[in-house]
Amino acid sequence: MMKIFMYLFFMIPMMFLVECFFLYQFLFLLISFIFVFFNVNSYFSLISYNIGIDSFSFGLIFLSLFISCLMMLSMNSSPLFLFLNLALCIILVLIFSMMNMMLMYVSFEFSLIPLIFMILGWGNYPERLISGLYLFFYTLFASLPLFLIIMYLYNMNGALFFDLNFGNSLSFYIYVSIYFAFLVKFPMFMLHFWLPKAHVQAPIFGSMILAGLLLKIGGYGFIRFMFIFDSMFINYSYILYSISIFGCICVSLICFLQSDVKSLIAYSSVAHMSFCLLGLLTMTKWGLMGCFFMLVGHGMCSSGLFCLANISYNRLLSRSFFINKGMISFMPGISFLWFLFCCFNMSCPPSINFLSEFMMMISIISYWSFSYLMIFFISFFSAIFSFYLYSFTQHGFMVSCYSFSFEMVSEYLLIMVHLIPMIFLVLILDFITF
């Protein structure tokens, strides 16, 4: 794994060279291509300097490299932007490959700094200051109990590696302290208030990294700690399960009240992540695999939806549903991509989202048989707000009088590179062995 980090570190001087943007992007694609052919076993492999990867971290590290490359497609070259993008990519790869709890926690906290710079530096409205404060204080407040528990575990066991046995403690306070930080990053219902504010005020590449990668840190942390505190997880999961299954329905209804395109996409992410948490809380193999596939599929789908919303914003200079209308008569090609992404957002085949939701439904019903009634409403409302998003933005009469420009090839490229992996990942699922 050290070769990946050395490769990324030695890309730092390149961002200060003149007209090296395309070479910089090619090097990101190259390291993503090289990483795919790494030999990863079901257990930790490529171990060096407290760094190792397994099947879970392999998919999320590749998603980090891939989304970081797509962020450069969405933004013109700027040395500061390239530096923040590279720094955030290195931090995310560190989070997903650390075998030590404390080093993972430090990387987890460092991810906040580049993201706040992106929101405050490239946001369009004064409200970005409030959203930056929300993001900062939510992360700071939620992660402090986790830091105290990590120190407690080191004092009791003398080591902090994820492959050690930390006993069978059933303390509810330890359970809440460990998972509170990851529930905020997931985010769980009632801890999600920072997410719509951060998404709406962030620039396009900030929304891509938030939806595509930052939300996945919570799921990854849950998976890592679930394996070493399984008895605690079994005893108290019903509490989070009850909140999540209720919150998933409530957030789906909240989506109907939104008048901002990016805000609706952000709330749909909360609903999908709540459903993802339900699958994870069942502690079954299908629930775990479905959760992992949903993390990867949602990273592509939600990031693509934010890119489409930005394409409309560049033409209409507004994110309001009352102005974003009638785009099917102006940009029919982009409208067809809107249709595909809205279908995949409601987990239609042949996307990986459909397979992951199917697996999680089976595991959720096996955990609590009465869940089938809740799943009916969750699936129905998910389909309705995706249909609402598409019909309101693409149909109707255009009300804007601004000058327009036609879609560019780079925009089609950006959307298609989001779309294709969601379909083809279903065909090559045997590349992951759990």
Side-chain angles (χ1 to χ4, degrees), residues 271-284:
H272 283 103
M273 289 296 102
S274 296
F275 195 73
C276 192
L277 181 58
L278 288 175
L280 191 58
L281 290 170
T282 61
M283 289 194 72
T284 59

Side-chain angles (χ1 to χ4, degrees), residues 253-264:
L253 292 173
I254 290 171
C255 288
F256 301 130
L257 306 176
Q258 304 306 310
S259 60
D260 188 295
V261 176
K262 287 185 72 174
S263 182
L264 191 149

Side-chain angles (χ1 to χ4, degrees), residues 102-168:
M102 181 57 74
L103 296 178
M104 178 190 172
Y105 173 82
V106 172
S107 304
F108 177 78
E109 291 299 304
F110 263 105
S111 65
L112 184 66
I113 299 172
L115 190 61
I116 286 185
F117 271 105
M118 287 181 179
I119 293 175
L120 299 184
W122 281 274
N124 293 326
Y125 298 99
E127 289 83 0
R128 67 183 187 274
L129 303 175
I130 300 298
S131 64
L133 285 176
Y134 261 77
L135 178 61
F136 176 77
F137 281 105
Y138 260 91
T139 305
L140 192 68
F141 175 72
S143 59
L144 181 60
L146 176 61
F147 178 66
L148 298 176
I149 291 300
I150 288 175
M151 290 194 296
Y152 168 77
L153 291 175
Y154 183 77
N155 187 43
M156 296 296 293
N157 300 280
L160 290 173
F161 293 101
F162 281 113
D163 53 345
L164 295 180
N165 182 15
F166 288 89
N168 295 317

Side-chain angles (χ1 to χ4, degrees), residues 4 7-9 11-12 14-15 20-35 61-73 81-90 93 209 213:
I4 297 290
Y7 185 105
L8 294 173
F9 275 119
M11 285 175 62
I12 294 176
M14 286 192 56
M15 65 188 66
C20 68
F21 178 73
F22 294 106
L23 177 60
Y24 191 83
Q25 193 174 34
F26 170 76
L27 291 175
F28 250 113
L29 282 173
L30 181 62
I31 191 61
S32 304
F33 183 76
I34 293 172
F35 184 75
I61 290 174
F62 175 74
L63 188 66
S64 303
L65 297 170
F66 191 68
I67 295 292
S68 298
C69 183
L70 295 182
M71 285 170 62
M72 291 186 283
L73 268 178
F81 163 69
L82 294 178
F83 176 74
L84 292 175
N85 182 25
L86 182 61
L88 197 52
C89 180
I90 292 173
V93 174
I209 202 74
L213 296 173

Side-chain angles (χ1 to χ4, degrees), residues 184-339:
V184 168
K185 281 292 183 182
F186 221 108
M188 190 183 73
F189 179 66
M190 294 192 298
L191 302 175
H192 69 282
F193 299 105
W194 65 271
L195 182 66
K197 291 182 179 294
H199 267 311
V200 170
Q201 302 305 327
I204 172 59
F205 51 87
S207 295
M208 289 173 66
I209 202 74
L210 269 169
L213 296 173
L214 265 295
L215 301 186
K216 312 305 174 281
I217 297 176
Y220 178 77
F222 246 91
I223 292 172
R224 279 283 171 257
F225 281 92
M226 182 179 70
F227 279 100
I228 59 177
F229 294 109
D230 49 352
S231 57
M232 189 190 304
F233 208 86
I234 291 170
N235 274 271
Y236 300 118
S237 288
Y238 69 94
I239 302 172
L240 300 182
Y241 187 92
S242 306
I243 297 173
S244 296
I245 201 166
F246 173 74
C248 198
I249 297 175
C250 290
V251 173
S252 299
L253 292 173
I254 290 171
C255 288
F256 301 130
L257 306 176
Q258 304 306 310
S259 60
D260 188 295
V261 176
K262 287 185 72 174
S263 182
L264 191 149
I265 301 171
Y267 274 106
S268 73
S269 296
V270 178
H272 283 103
M273 289 296 102
S274 296
F275 195 73
C276 192
L277 181 58
L278 288 175
L280 191 58
L281 290 170
T282 61
M283 289 194 72
T284 59
K285 184 176 181 180
W286 274 49
L288 181 62
M289 291 172 63
C291 173
F292 176 74
F293 295 147
M294 175 64 85
L295 292 177
V296 176
H298 177 267
M300 297 289 183
C301 183
S302 186
S303 177
L305 282 171
F306 279 112
C307 292
L308 288 168
N310 185 66
I311 291 172
S312 299
Y313 177 77
N314 288 337
R315 271 76 180 176
L316 301 171
L317 303 181
S318 174
R319 296 190 302 262
S320 173
F321 277 110
F322 304 109
I323 297 178
N324 282 268
K325 281 182 174 293
M327 298 303 289
I328 192 171
S329 60
F330 175 58
M331 294 189 295
I334 295 294
S335 181
F336 176 68
L337 293 174
W338 265 104
F339 173 75

